[in-house]
Amino acid sequence: LVLTRIARLIRVMRVMRVARFALSATDVAMQKGEKKRSEARQSESSIPRKTVSDLKTVEKQRPLPTATSFLAMRPKIQQSPETSNRSMVGTVIMQQTTEKLILLVLVLVLGLTLITSNFHDRTAKNGLVMLHTAFDDFDGNGCFGAEQSDVKSEWCVEHTCCSDWSDILQRFADNLHFQGVHADIRYLKIQNTLFVDRSTNDLRDSEIETHTIDDTSKVILDISDITSTTAAWNFGQTVLILFVLVLFPYFFGRDVLNLVITPLEVIFDRVQSIAANPFSKLEVSEMKKSKSYELDMIKESLNRLTKLLQVGLGQAGTDIISRNLQSGSFSVLQPGNRLEAVFGFCDIRAFSDCCEALQEDCVVFVNTIAAIIADAVSFSRGAVNKNIGEAFLIVWKWEDDPLNPSGKRLNLDANLAAEHALRACIKAIKMIAASERVQAFAKRSSVRNRLGNDFTITMGFGLHIGWAIEGAVGSQQKIDATYLSPTVNMAARLETATRQYGVHILMSHHFAKYLNDYTLSKCRNIDRVALKGSNEPMTLVTYEFGENATDVVVAGNAYFTSYVAGNWKLCREQMQSFRQRWPNDGPSRTVWAVLEEANFEVPSDWAGYRKLTGK
């Protein structure tokens, strides 16, 4: 029995292998046919019309591909461009589904082969035929060549039987075992001679098996054990089929879940996250790729687009982009958002000459400095809003619990924002001065020929504080998320004024009043002016670097007080003393030139400030 079932299983496995090969060959043939039809269409479009009919005639005469040709062309098809252009997700799902389908069929065939009950045995029928034939060789009392016994056998009901006949009947009964399951004789009649007669009233119709020969020989069997065993095997088959029907759909669905549904859910969650906050930090788990499938590529592309959105629009576009993404349509005709912030404007000195000297490398030059600026600003909880060639607009907001590009919640107030802004400028100046990579541009021969051997890369910073309107400026074709207000313009003019005073940092007194006492001890008032475009006088403040910064601040503030009060005679004496100690000081040289131009006489309309002629 075991060998028979193993042989069946081997035959089934051979059939499945042939079927799989046939499916593969069919797929190869379809791919080959599609490729040839595509090549034929391309050839027809490029060959003169008069030869198309000839090509079609040759195509019709070409013999059909055979199974041998399928095998020969299979490696070529697997490496063809058409196969490589197929969807990776579809290919993997189709391959895994095919493998699981083959496994399903094998499990069913193997399981059903081992569980199937086959109790249809012909022993009872054949044994009855033999008994019916052998009975003619016995005498009228059922004995053949043996003495008649006076003792009734268990097989003899109406007469006594010889031992030979009794043994034949016993062997017949012993052989009524179908695959280890016993069948009991309830009625046995051979040529109208009754040997066994027991009632069958306790049996159901399905538990009775009857065989008859010429209405003279008849056997009735009790197959209740066989019926029970068959029911148990059938129950096992049902359990196996239910197990397969429940388990295999799970495996089929798991591939779709892992390759399609889960990546789509991640993409959907990422889109919702971008809509809520376009500048949320990308999670590390989102950046990891399991395999190079199309949906993983979409996730990676979405992350890259988000990064470009963050880099391109800056922090100013946070609320703007969020509102447009959540509304489902984009419109620039939306009101802006008023806020209070610190604005910084910085510029690379002598950029035009450097650009002329560096040519194509000027982009590398600007980006190298931009990386330093961005690092210093982001460390101080600010954000670079936009780059204008060699200039950068920077913002430090202190709205209630604002979001910065890193996605972390901050609680900045005006004092803290001012401190962070000044520290960022100081850090950027020092980093640029110490950067060998940046200063290497100044050492190039093309730059030295234009700007001299002593030229170094430096920057100027202007800092102001006040209100601004945050919004998207532009059209449906191009927008720029930025800040609009006189405060922003004033920061740019302060940066421009750094050239006149020969300093790296210029702050308005509106900004300086938010600094702490320690920082103010290194901040010096250098002039009081009305910048171009404004009638409001403003005190210009700079930050002093170096070990003697406190002495410079004290002496500089002393002559500044006399200068603003109109006591220019005292101011002259104080400045003379100051310039003797620090002859290369730029702010004192600028104010001295103003006093000297007025012959150290206070103008009659002096109100404690002057008009700044520059921008």
Side-chain angles (χ1 to χ4, degrees), residues 367-420:
N367 290 340
T368 302
I369 295 179
I372 295 176
I373 298 297
D375 180 65
V377 171
S378 61
F379 183 79
S380 66
R381 302 182 182 183
V384 178
N385 174 237
K386 61 181 177 180
N387 302 31
I388 312 170
E390 75 279 15
F392 304 88
L393 175 61
I394 313 169
V395 60
W396 288 265
K397 297 193 293 186
W398 67 83
E399 295 176 310
D400 292 337
D401 210 18
L403 273 174
N404 72 343
S406 66
K408 297 180 180 179
R409 294 280 177 176
L410 304 175
N411 289 300
L412 294 178
D413 56 16
N415 299 86
L416 192 57
E419 288 288 339
H420 283 316

Side-chain angles (χ1 to χ4, degrees), residues 155-221:
W155 299 107
C156 301
V157 178
E158 297 178 346
H159 53 80
T160 59
C161 302
C162 67
S163 59
D164 292 339
W165 183 253
S166 178
D167 291 340
I168 292 175
L169 293 179
Q170 185 62 47
R171 286 197 299 269
F172 172 70
D174 292 340
N175 288 329
L176 296 177
H177 287 77
F178 304 152
Q179 299 184 3
V181 182
H182 177 69
D184 189 22
I185 300 176
R186 289 295 184 96
Y187 181 86
L188 178 61
K189 182 178 69 172
I190 306 298
Q191 294 191 11
N192 295 321
T193 301
L194 185 64
F195 294 96
V196 179
D197 187 10
R198 288 185 290 174
S199 174
T200 59
N201 294 332
D202 59 328
L203 302 177
R204 293 173 293 181
D205 293 341
S206 60
E207 298 174 343
I208 298 175
E209 183 177 321
T210 303
H211 299 283
T212 304
I213 299 177
D214 298 334
D215 294 333
T216 60
S217 298
K218 182 178 181 181
V219 62
I220 299 177
L221 303 177

Side-chain angles (χ1 to χ4, degrees), residues 46-327:
S46 61
I47 297 177
R49 186 179 300 274
K50 64 180 181 180
T51 62
V52 171
S53 59
D54 297 334
L55 289 175
K56 291 183 177 179
T57 302
V58 173
E59 184 68 23
K60 291 180 180 179
Q61 296 175 354
R62 184 176 300 167
L64 294 174
T66 62
T68 305
S69 65
F70 289 159
L71 294 176
M73 70 178 71
R74 184 175 181 179
K76 298 180 181 179
I77 293 299
Q78 291 179 342
Q79 300 176 0
S80 65
E82 293 182 6
T83 310
S84 61
N85 291 335
R86 180 182 297 174
S87 169
M88 183 68 74
V89 174
T91 301
V92 172
I93 291 178
M94 182 175 65
Q95 178 182 356
Q96 295 183 359
T97 301
T98 303
E99 294 175 354
K100 289 180 175 59
L101 184 61
I102 293 174
L103 180 61
L104 168 64
V105 174
L106 288 177
V107 169
L108 286 176
V109 171
L110 176 61
L112 295 178
T113 301
L114 297 176
I115 296 177
T116 299
S117 60
N118 185 13
F119 298 108
H120 299 287
D121 199 287
R122 301 180 63 185
T123 303
K125 178 67 175 178
N126 295 336
L128 182 63
V129 172
M130 295 175 63
L131 291 175
H132 180 80
T133 304
F135 190 82
D136 294 335
D137 297 332
F138 287 82
D139 57 13
N141 293 325
C143 293
F144 179 73
E147 296 181 358
Q148 181 176 343
S149 175
D150 295 335
V151 181
K152 287 188 176 181
S153 170
E154 61 177 330
W155 299 107
C156 301
V157 178
E158 297 178 346
H159 53 80
T160 59
C161 302
C162 67
S163 59
D164 292 339
W165 183 253
S166 178
D167 291 340
I168 292 175
L169 293 179
Q170 185 62 47
R171 286 197 299 269
F172 172 70
D174 292 340
N175 288 329
L176 296 177
H177 287 77
F178 304 152
Q179 299 184 3
V181 182
H182 177 69
D184 189 22
I185 300 176
R186 289 295 184 96
Y187 181 86
L188 178 61
K189 182 178 69 172
I190 306 298
Q191 294 191 11
N192 295 321
T193 301
L194 185 64
F195 294 96
V196 179
D197 187 10
R198 288 185 290 174
S199 174
T200 59
N201 294 332
D202 59 328
L203 302 177
R204 293 173 293 181
D205 293 341
S206 60
E207 298 174 343
I208 298 175
E209 183 177 321
T210 303
H211 299 283
T212 304
I213 299 177
D214 298 334
D215 294 333
T216 60
S217 298
K218 182 178 181 181
V219 62
I220 299 177
L221 303 177
D222 174 10
I223 60 171
S224 57
D225 291 343
I226 296 176
T227 304
S228 300
T229 304
T230 303
W233 285 108
N234 291 338
F235 178 77
Q237 292 180 3
T238 304
V239 171
L240 175 63
I241 294 174
L242 289 177
F243 176 77
V244 170
L245 292 179
V246 171
L247 187 62
F248 273 84
Y250 164 75
F251 287 112
F252 288 132
R254 188 177 61 176
D255 295 332
V256 178
L257 178 67
N258 294 335
L259 298 175
V260 179
I261 297 178
T262 300
L264 284 177
E265 290 177 347
V266 172
I267 293 173
F268 180 73
D269 293 340
R270 184 63 189 140
V271 171
Q272 285 188 322
S273 175
I274 295 172
N277 178 22
F279 296 90
S280 59
K281 187 176 181 180
L282 295 178
E283 298 294 337
V284 177
S285 59
E286 295 181 15
M287 301 301 296
K288 294 181 179 179
K289 298 191 297 182
S290 58
K291 296 178 181 178
S292 298
Y293 297 149
E294 287 80 1
L295 291 176
D296 291 319
M297 297 178 185
I298 294 175
K299 282 196 300 182
E300 182 66 21
S301 299
L302 184 61
N303 288 332
R304 291 180 180 179
L305 289 174
T306 304
K307 199 67 178 178
L308 285 174
L309 183 67
Q310 296 174 356
V311 173
L313 294 177
Q315 187 178 1
T318 303
D319 296 332
I320 303 167
I321 303 303
S322 296
R323 288 195 299 266
N324 280 280
L325 288 176
Q326 292 174 358
S327 64

